[in-house]
Amino acid sequence: MTNPLFSSAPAPKHEVPTSSLDTLIATVARLRAPGGCPWDADQTHASLVRHLVEETHELIEAIEVGSRDDLLEELGDVLYQVLFHADLAAHTPEEDFDIQAVAARLTEKMVGRHPHVFGDVTLETAEEVSAAWDRFKAEEKPGRTSVLDGIPTGMPALALADKVLGRAEKIGLLDADEGFPLPIESEADLGPLLLAIVASARSQGLDAERALRAAVRDLQVEIRGAEAPTASGNAVDDDAFDAGIIAFPS
């Protein structure tokens, strides 16, 4: 029996979907093909960005507070975005790749970053894997010269701050074990404190997101400054870069 979702005539045997994922890939292709959905056909990578952001946030919410069905649905919505972008690329001459090429590239990357699983490297704990992760990535991307390379600057300021602080710890600019005099013992303590900071900023007409992003930029300058002597073969002066940007107002 003909599946009306894809065609008015039976598809050749080799094109018949063999799994639910194959069916979804065919569905995306049908929606974007001539005679499909005009809206889908009119989209570009750029026009879909806001939908990807929205769907990602909905998935995060499902993970944090949703049900099994919420998680199932939102994972599907994010997957749909990936398949949509891949189908776009498959029909864009200067891009010319499809979802199979995306999967092949990802498989290659995951195998390369897990030599303790697919090779002869021995790493027995999650901590050992984390310690070796940067080395695996450096071997994969030899053109990167800074620990900051690869961090997407469009991240929300709070997530960006966390990422950049982690890179500062990696080069010894910050001490990961150094405590700060704030009454924080759990996320239950942290949440209200962050909310209070934002409320205080808002009451004074300040933009907390912009302020934090500016502070992170200053920290990035310090990190690059700390890396520069190392790149030139000189020792880093421990007193020259103390991440002084992280401080309470005087």
Side-chain angles (χ1 to χ4, degrees):
M1 179 178 179
T2 302
N3 187 337
L5 183 62
F6 306 119
S7 173
S8 58
K13 186 175 181 180
H14 67 278
E15 294 181 4
V16 175
T18 58
S19 70
S20 295
L21 182 58
D22 291 322
T23 301
L24 178 58
I25 293 171
T27 300
V28 175
R30 177 69 184 88
L31 288 171
R32 297 200 62 258
C37 174
W39 186 91
D40 290 67
D42 197 41
Q43 299 311 301
T44 66
H45 292 302
S47 71
L48 290 171
V49 167
R50 65 188 183 92
H51 300 289
L52 176 59
V53 172
E54 180 179 347
E55 298 296 356
T56 301
H57 283 294
E58 289 181 1
L59 173 57
I60 292 170
E61 184 174 4
I63 291 171
E64 294 180 344
V65 298
S67 65
R68 171 191 178 279
D69 285 344
D70 293 332
L71 182 59
L72 180 62
E73 179 177 352
E74 300 307 336
L75 281 169
D77 287 346
V78 172
L79 174 59
Y80 188 80
Q81 294 295 312
V82 175
L83 296 177
F84 203 122
H85 281 280
D87 193 79
L88 266 169
H91 295 87
T92 303
E94 61 270 24
E95 294 173 358
D96 192 25
F97 64 82
D98 61 11
I99 191 62
Q100 299 300 333
V102 173
R105 175 70 66 87
L106 180 58
T107 298
E108 179 183 3
K109 181 165 67 174
M110 288 300 100
V111 170
R113 291 187 182 181
H114 293 82
H116 51 296
V117 177
F118 302 100
D120 55 6
V121 174
T122 300
L123 298 172
E124 298 182 348
T125 68
E127 289 74 19
E128 290 176 340
V129 173
S130 294
W133 191 252
D134 287 336
R135 175 166 54 83
F136 299 155
K137 291 174 66 176
E139 292 171 354
E140 176 188 316
K141 299 180 182 293
R144 292 184 175 178
T145 59
S146 169
V147 295
L148 298 175
D149 290 345
I151 298 178
T153 56
M155 294 174 66
L158 194 58
L160 180 63
D162 182 81
K163 180 72 74 173
V164 173
L165 287 169
R167 301 298 171 88
E169 291 171 1
K170 289 181 183 298
I171 64 169
L173 186 58
L174 289 175
D175 185 354
D177 298 323
E178 181 179 351
F180 291 90
L182 292 174
I184 301 173
E185 296 182 359
S186 68
E187 291 183 0
D189 295 330
L190 177 60
L193 179 59
L194 290 172
L195 190 59
I197 292 172
V198 174
S200 178
R202 179 179 172 80
S203 70
Q204 299 175 69
L206 304 176
D207 186 326
E209 175 83 5
R210 184 169 61 228
L212 180 56
R213 190 172 294 280
V216 171
R217 281 197 296 269
D218 289 340
L219 177 56
Q220 289 173 312
V221 170
E222 289 199 36
I223 291 174
R224 294 190 186 280
E227 290 176 318
T230 303
S232 62
N234 300 321
V236 177
D237 183 350
D238 290 337
D239 295 328
F241 304 99
D242 60 358
I245 192 65
I246 304 174
F248 295 105
S250 57

